[in-house]
């Protein structure tokens, strides 16, 4: 697919300005529609080049956040190599490390970094650490109903809504929308909280980053999937919930967040997540078992190369996540050689 | 006072209560089915595309999917409050989302442009707009807003047949080469493992593998050529805001002009859409395309389960009823069987995973498929293990129903048979069991109904989001019970709770639910028809 007309003109203009300025330029041009998916494409991505000698089975066991993405990548990868069989299981990030250790999977997609314990278990079996490849960026968004007029929240406020321990130290327990300054019908409306079940990596990430490992309130309605959090907030005017940015719909509003009171609110857009300004952005990883100074098996290497190609990163955009920067891709491709 | 006494004594109140309860149940079932039916079937109708010009001069084009009242907007002019509508605007790659809410108060003008085209794409969902140019490679064939339908539509039809050819090569031809290659490789490895590898046999196997590799490369070249042809013709599409995008015609599935179509054309397309969903394979991580593999997987699993559960359950019931000495032990066994029917299905799933998959499957792999280890063959979830797990889960139902059927066979039949000199076994096979057949089939019907709707145990024993191949195909040994499979129930869970684009996936959930209900109905009807035939055959048997 071609880039927009606007963008091509911009490119001609920006020939001498260099990569960084080009990027910034796109960001400004794209600001009319910060969510347009093909605005996120980077002209420096390389097309995937097929190589010979790739065949066999590829097993992936791990995160459910990455389940869709892995499936889409598998569909694309099989177009390149119709002789490859790919099986994907996505039951949670915690299932990836044991699968890598037992050798039942070559790929371990995870929506968080491996914990020290998991790395130790791996190291004690193989004598070296597992290798992590960042494959996409996710912004964990805090969603409210589309009728909710709230402009944004600080992380401390989010903590005070979701947590009963309030580790971030907000002054009061937030239970009603009126306490956040909303008026009209929202003034007396109690906040209705939606969250994920404890097996999910998203639950863990939110707990660590926002709650600082405090405890969730008992009122949190735990949902079996990210999409059902969004559905809950869609139907419930007083609802608030957290989910990956890939699950955004027209019936919910992804709140801009700020780290502290007084700082400007930051929207969970691609630019803000890539620059790290959005407080809740994270990398999604694929872990592999790679002995030091040894090449990866061709099928795993080519799969990762595909992930880092133009086709692979377009899949990331298609699934609603954000692509990783060209600089990191370059570095990872260097690793893969 | 007397009136009330009479009223209670007559039982009228009870009749009303019973009738009311029945009416409530029927209403609930009817309501549920109606909701599923309306939401599911409405999805296939090609809806008109409305073009809205907003007061701030932006334009929006899409299907109206929902309208609702905006809270707190009631004024003197609008006592009920103002409304807004949700449009499916498509063009996900351009706008970021497929859906958009528009307040009716912001709308300055609505039109229904006759020439607007809706495109279903292989990726990114639908596109609504117009064709402004047709390209052959990099040279434009035609340009302008008034391009005739015939200037580009034939390329789309041509692309469709190319797609079919590519699909055939990728799945059938290359699939067969792969299967052969894999077999040769395994043979070689088996020989090596046994330490019986002679130079000759190894060489011939190696040559075999190489030949297949060459055949594979040849097919890959063919594919490259086909893909080139597929991407040769491209079209420039423009959306209502004037944004242009170029797509290869091969990236489009179909195109239609909803606003120019008559009711008859729409009906035809409606039927075609339903057919496509039932027979196509899913695309885009299951949110689009069809659900054929899931239907196939569901039906096949139920059939394999029936084959396993009926003999097992009937034999157990026959022993329990006819041969076992009735006493405390049999009573306890009956209680245990009845309780087994109440065990939560997930418990059966865990048992299936531990016993069938890891213990039995792992052992089979060690003994028979050691060459392909560490890749498990039967030591991982699959069709066979899922079916057996469900068979275990439903076996109490069959046992109980068969016992009921056996008790209903009149005593005179048995005695008559015995009196004519038949042994107990002979009269059981020739007389009693055929008469009990309707009861056994009732058990099967109940088992099938329970098994079809079950998802939890399957998630542990072999259902996957996307299975690369069906459990039945043209490659030896044709029936692959070790393969993982797709299932309608899991499909509903996956699309409803896991798919990133809930709004777009919602109709798919209803459609899948509707199909699942229909599959259960169809399977049950088959069994019921069978039972009726049996009843007629042994008319008067089970009084």
């Amino acid at each position: 697919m071609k880039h927009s007309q606007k963008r091509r003109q911009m490119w001609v203009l920006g020939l001498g300005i260099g990569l960084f300025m080009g990027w910034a330029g796109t960001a400004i041009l794209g600001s009319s529609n910060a969510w347009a998916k093909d605005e996120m494409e980077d002209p420096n991505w390389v097309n995937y080049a097929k190589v010979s000698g790739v065949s066999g089975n590829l097993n992936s066991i791990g995160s459910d956040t990455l389940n869709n993405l892995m499936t889409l990548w598998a569909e694309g990868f099989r177009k390149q190599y119709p002789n490859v069989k790919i099986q994907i299981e996505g039951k949670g990030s915690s299932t990836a490390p044991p699968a890598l250790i037992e050798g039942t999977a070559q790929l371990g997609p995870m929506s968080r970094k491996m914990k020290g314990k998991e790395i130790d278990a791996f190291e004690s079996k193989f004598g070296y650490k597992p290798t992590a490849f960042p494959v996409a960026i996710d912004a964990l968004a805090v969603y409210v109903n589309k009728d909710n007029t709230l402009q944004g929240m600080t992380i401390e406020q989010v903590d005070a809504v979701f947590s009963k321990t309030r580790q971030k130290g907000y002054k009061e327990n937030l239970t009603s929308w009126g306490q956040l300054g909303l008026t009209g019908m929202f003034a007396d409306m109690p906040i209705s909280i939606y969250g994920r079940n404890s097996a999910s990596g998203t639950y863990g990430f939110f707990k660590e980053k926002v709650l600082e490992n405090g405890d969730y309130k008992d009122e949190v309605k735990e949902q079996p999937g990210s999409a059902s959090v969004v559905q809950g907030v869609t139907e419930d005017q007083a609802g608030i919930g957290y989910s990956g940015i890939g699950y955004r719909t027209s019936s919910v509003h992804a709140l801009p967040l700020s780290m502290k009171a007084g700082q400007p609110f930051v929207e969970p857009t691609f630019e803000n997540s890539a620059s790290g300004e959005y407080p809740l952005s994270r990398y999604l990883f694929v872990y592999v078992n790679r002995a030091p100074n040894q090449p990866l098996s061709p099928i795993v290497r080519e799969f990762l190369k595909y992930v880092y190609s133009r086709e692979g990163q377009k899949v990331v955009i298609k699934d609603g996540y954000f692509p990783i920067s060209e600089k990191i891709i370059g570095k990872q491709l260097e690793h893969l050689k | 006072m007397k009136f009330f006494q009479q009223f209670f004594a007559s039982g009228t109140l009870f009749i009303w209560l019973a009738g009311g309860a029945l009416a409530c149940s029927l209403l609930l079932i009817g309501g549920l089915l109606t909701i599923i039916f309306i939401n599911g079937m409405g999805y296939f109708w090609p809806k008109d595309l409305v073009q809205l010009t907003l007061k701030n001069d932006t334009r929006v084009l899409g299907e109206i999917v929902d309208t609702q009242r905006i809270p707190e907007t009631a004024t003197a002019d609008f006592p009920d409050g103002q409304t807004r509508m949700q449009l499916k605007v498509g063009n996900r790659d351009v706008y970021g989302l497929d859906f958009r809410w528009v307040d009716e108060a912001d709308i300055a003008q609505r039109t229904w442009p006759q020439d607007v085209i809706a495109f279903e794409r292989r990726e990114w969902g639908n596109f609504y707009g117009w064709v402004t140019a047709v390209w052959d490679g990099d040279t434009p064939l035609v340009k302008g807003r008034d391009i005739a339908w015939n200037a580009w539509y034939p390329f789309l039809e041509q692309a469709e047949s190319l797609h079919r050819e590519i699909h055939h090569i990728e799945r059938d031809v290359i699939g067969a080469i792969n299967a052969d290659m894999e077999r040769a490789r395994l043979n070689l490895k088996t020989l090596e493992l046994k330490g019986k590898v002679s130079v000759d046999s190894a060489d011939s196997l190696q040559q075999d593998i190489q030949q297949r590799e060459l055949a594979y490369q040849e097919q890959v070249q063919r594919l490259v050529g086909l893909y080139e042809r597929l991407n040769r013709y491209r079209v420039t599409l423009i959306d209502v805001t004037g944004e242009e995008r170029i797509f290869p015609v091969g990236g489009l599935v179909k195109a239609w002009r909803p606003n120019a179509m008559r009711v008859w054309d729409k009906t035809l397309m409606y039927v075609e859409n339903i057919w496509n969903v039932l027979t196509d394979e899913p695309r885009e991580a299951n949110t689009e395309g069809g659900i054929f593999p899931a239907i196939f997987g569901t039906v096949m699993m139920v059939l394999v389960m029936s084959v396993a559960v009926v003999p097992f359950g009937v034999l157990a019931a026959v022993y329990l009823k006819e041969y076992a000495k009735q006493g405390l032990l049999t009573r306890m066994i009956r209680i245990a069987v009845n309780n087994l029917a109440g065990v939560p299905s997930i418990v059966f799933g865990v048992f299936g995973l531990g016993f069938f998959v890891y213990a039995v499957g792992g052992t089979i792999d060690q003994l028979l498929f050691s060459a392909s280890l560490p890749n498990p063959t039967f030591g991982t979830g699959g069709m066979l293990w899922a079916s057996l797990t469900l068979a275990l889960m439903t076996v109490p139902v069959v046992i109980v129903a068969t016992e009921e059927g056996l008790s209903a066979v009149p005593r005179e039949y048995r005695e008559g048979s015995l009196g004519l000199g038949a042994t107990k076994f002979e009269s059981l096979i020739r007389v009693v069991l055929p008469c009990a057949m309707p009861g056994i089939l009732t058990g099967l019907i109940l088992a099938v109904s329970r098994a079809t709707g079950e998802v939890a145990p399957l998630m542990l024993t072999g259902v996957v989001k996307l299975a690369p191949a069906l459990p039945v195909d043209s490659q030896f040994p044709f029936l692959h019970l070790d393969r993982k499979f797709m299932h309608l129930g899991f499909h509903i869970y996956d699309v409803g709770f896991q798919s990133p684009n809930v709004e777009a996936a919602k109709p798919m959930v209803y459609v899948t639910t509707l199909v699942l209900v229909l599959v259960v109905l169809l399977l049950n009807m088959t069994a019921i028809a069978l039972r009726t035939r049996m009843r007629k055959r042994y008319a008067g048997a089970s009084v």
Side-chain angles (χ1 to χ4, degrees), chain B residues 138-391:
Chain B
D138 286 327
T139 46
L141 293 176
V142 252
K143 271 188 168 179
R145 264 303 269 275
D146 49 352
I147 290 177
W149 181 262
N150 277 336
W152 59 275
Y153 194 72
F155 299 139
L156 190 87
E157 285 172 330
Q158 193 187 328
E160 187 52 41
S161 70
L162 281 176
H163 260 291
R164 266 200 293 273
E165 203 177 333
I166 288 174
H167 187 71
H168 168 69
I169 293 177
E170 280 184 348
R171 205 183 56 181
D172 303 337
V173 181
I174 294 186
I177 295 176
N178 274 331
D180 290 344
M181 212 142 101
E182 194 67 26
R183 206 170 298 130
R185 257 194 221 123
L186 285 181
N187 283 342
L188 192 65
K189 210 165 158 200
T190 317
L191 287 179
E192 276 168 11
L193 280 177
K194 284 183 184 154
K196 280 195 235 156
V197 63
S198 67
V199 183
D200 282 355
S201 60
D203 265 2
S204 77
L205 280 171
Q206 282 291 0
Q207 262 178 10
D208 199 30
I209 294 174
Q210 268 166 16
Q211 259 174 18
R212 311 236 184 254
E213 178 66 33
L214 281 178
Y216 169 67
Q217 290 305 336
E218 200 178 294
Q219 294 301 328
V220 167
Q221 284 313 312
R222 237 175 104 193
L223 277 180
V224 169
L226 284 172
Y227 271 115
E228 252 167 38
R229 275 172 67 197
L230 193 65
N231 292 327
R232 177 173 164 189
Y233 295 103
R234 296 182 301 162
V235 282
T236 306
L237 304 184
I238 188 168
D239 81 340
V240 72
T241 58
E243 291 260 357
E244 283 189 333
R245 296 286 188 279
I246 300 181
F247 298 105
V249 179
L252 307 172
V253 181
K254 61 183 168 203
W256 65 100
R257 282 173 293 194
N259 294 356
M261 281 163 86
R262 283 158 304 172
V263 178
W264 171 243
D265 298 328
K266 285 190 176 181
T267 314
L268 273 184
M269 196 170 155
Y270 180 75
V271 176
E272 195 189 308
N273 284 346
I274 294 178
W275 177 250
N276 285 342
V277 163
L278 293 181
T279 54
D280 273 357
E281 282 174 23
R283 289 198 318 270
E284 300 280 72
N286 293 355
T287 50
E288 276 164 45
I291 51 173
F292 176 70
I295 300 177
F296 191 91
T298 309
V299 173
M300 171 130 180
M301 185 206 67
V302 169
L303 292 182
V304 175
M305 180 213 74
S306 308
V307 168
V309 77
V310 171
F312 195 53
V314 170
L315 286 179
V318 163
Y319 184 78
L320 203 58
K321 184 85 198 162
E322 304 285 324
Y323 288 99
K325 201 168 141 224
Q326 305 298 316
L328 187 68
L329 191 64
T330 46
R331 274 214 338 254
M332 277 171 65
I333 290 176
R334 281 205 185 94
I335 292 173
V337 166
N338 281 328
N339 279 333
L340 206 59
V343 172
S345 54
I346 189 74
V347 177
F348 282 100
V350 176
F351 176 77
L353 181 71
F355 179 68
F356 288 129
V357 176
Y358 289 150
V360 182
T363 318
I364 293 178
D365 275 3
Q366 294 284 343
L367 296 177
L368 301 175
F369 300 96
S370 53
S372 58
L373 284 174
N375 276 333
T377 311
F378 277 99
T380 177
M383 175 66 93
L384 181 64
W385 302 142
S387 305
L388 288 185
T389 306
L390 285 192

Side-chain angles (χ1 to χ4, degrees), chain A residues 33 35-38 68 71 75 79 83 91 146-147 185 227-228 237 246-251 318-319, chain B residues 68 71-72 84 86 92-94 96-97 99 101 123 178 216 245 284-285 459 465 497-498 500 503:
Chain A
N33 183 2
W35 297 102
K37 304 239 167 175
D38 45 10
N68 251 314
T71 310
E75 280 174 13
K79 243 181 228 164
N83 56 338
K91 294 193 180 117
K146 63 179 181 305
D147 286 324
M185 66 172 186
S228 52
Q237 269 182 340
Y247 295 89
R248 192 175 72 101
T249 68
S250 70
S251 303
K318 186 162 79 177
D319 202 32
Chain B
Q68 60 175 221
E72 297 196 306
R84 64 181 154 208
Q86 190 180 27
R92 196 185 307 159
D93 42 343
V94 188
L97 291 174
F99 290 83
W101 286 95
E123 291 181 60
N178 274 331
Y216 169 67
R245 296 286 188 279
E284 300 280 72
M459 283 164 73
K465 180 185 172 73
F497 291 133
Q498 311 283 340
E503 285 173 323

Side-chain angles (χ1 to χ4, degrees), chain A residues 43-229:
Chain A
N44 289 329
W45 288 340
V46 282
N47 288 325
Y48 183 73
K50 234 192 259 190
V51 298
S52 66
V54 175
S55 66
N57 283 304
L58 195 57
N59 287 310
S60 156
I61 297 179
S63 159
D64 68 327
T65 306
L66 274 153
N67 204 7
N68 251 314
L69 202 50
M70 291 300 291
T71 310
L72 289 169
W73 275 326
E75 280 174 13
F77 192 63
R78 267 175 60 85
K79 243 181 228 164
Q80 306 283 345
Y81 303 102
N83 56 338
V84 170
K85 253 195 217 151
I86 308 182
Q87 313 245 22
I88 292 156
E89 258 182 60
K91 294 193 180 117
S93 295
S94 317
T95 57
L100 285 179
I101 294 170
E102 293 300 321
T104 46
Q106 296 112 302
L107 301 171
M110 291 181 74
S111 64
R112 55 169 171 85
K113 280 203 163 142
M114 266 201 204
K115 290 177 191 151
K117 234 192 235 164
E118 293 165 338
I119 294 180
D120 289 346
F122 186 93
E123 210 175 353
S124 69
K125 168 127 187 212
F126 297 102
Y128 50 86
K129 289 188 168 66
T131 318
F133 288 93
V135 290
I137 298 174
D138 180 23
L140 200 62
V142 176
Y143 293 110
V144 292
N145 190 273
K146 63 179 181 305
D147 286 324
N148 196 314
T149 48
L150 197 63
Q151 291 303 309
M153 279 171 99
T154 66
I155 289 292
E156 289 154 2
Q157 286 172 329
V158 178
D159 179 43
V161 168
F162 280 92
S163 169
K164 58 180 169 196
T165 42
R166 294 206 303 282
Q167 304 279 13
K168 295 263 189 201
Y170 193 71
K171 59 183 190 289
E172 54 177 344
N173 182 17
L174 291 175
T175 54
S176 128
W177 287 108
Q179 284 173 291
L180 284 160
L182 289 190
T183 52
M185 66 172 186
F186 282 102
D188 299 322
M189 205 181 262
I191 301 177
S192 156
I193 316 165
Y194 293 82
R196 285 298 311 279
N197 51 333
S198 55
S200 115
T202 315
Y203 172 98
F205 179 83
F206 195 80
K207 185 169 174 160
E208 187 195 322
K209 286 281 144 102
V210 180
L211 272 59
E212 288 185 4
N213 291 318
D215 290 323
Y216 282 102
K217 281 181 188 167
D218 300 329
E219 300 95 284
V220 177
K221 299 187 233 333
E222 293 191 351
Q223 304 291 316
S226 298
S228 52
V229 171

Side-chain angles (χ1 to χ4, degrees), chain A residues 214-274:
Chain A
D215 290 323
Y216 282 102
K217 281 181 188 167
D218 300 329
E219 300 95 284
V220 177
K221 299 187 233 333
E222 293 191 351
Q223 304 291 316
S226 298
S228 52
V229 171
V230 172
Q231 278 287 9
V233 176
T234 302
E235 301 296 332
D236 188 346
Q237 269 182 340
I240 186 169
Y242 59 86
S243 267
I245 191 66
Y247 295 89
R248 192 175 72 101
T249 68
S250 70
S251 303
V252 293
H253 176 50
L255 283 178
L257 300 177
S258 73
M259 215 50 210
K260 284 200 175 67
Q263 288 178 358
F265 294 128
V266 183
E267 278 211 61
T269 57
F270 168 47
E271 291 88 28
N272 296 335
S273 304

